[in-house]
Amino acid sequence: MDTRQLLRKEIETIPDTLVEEILRFVKALKERNLPALSRELLDASESALARDWLREEEDIAWKNL
């Protein structure tokens, strides 16, 4: 049984008031970690696209803006 399955099993056995508290906790964890995940994605994108951004053609295309 994996961790998600164990968590589901535990949640099924507790009172609804605790389920609501767990839901708030899970949402808070996701929100707290979202900026870190977003930063990792941005960093990965930047390195992958850098070769296109740093071309002379790009400089010419954007110089009038």
Side-chain angles (χ1 to χ4, degrees):
M1 191 174 290
D2 71 6
T3 304
R4 287 179 189 266
Q5 290 171 326
L6 289 170
L7 182 57
R8 285 185 190 108
K9 185 177 178 180
E10 288 297 324
I11 290 172
E12 288 175 9
T13 64
I14 61 176
D16 287 344
T17 55
L18 292 179
V19 172
E20 292 170 8
E21 187 174 342
I22 290 170
L23 178 59
R24 286 192 301 272
F25 177 71
V26 169
K27 286 182 176 183
L29 283 176
K30 284 174 62 177
E31 288 177 15
R32 185 179 77 196
N33 289 308
L34 184 60
L37 294 174
S38 296
R39 186 70 236 160
E40 289 175 23
L41 291 173
L42 288 173
D43 289 344
S45 299
E46 185 175 349
S47 64
L49 296 173
R51 65 178 175 269
D52 293 325
W53 292 340
L54 300 175
R55 295 183 335 186
E56 184 179 345
E57 294 89 353
E58 284 293 312
D59 292 339
I60 293 169
W62 290 96
K63 75 177 183 178
N64 292 327
L65 295 178

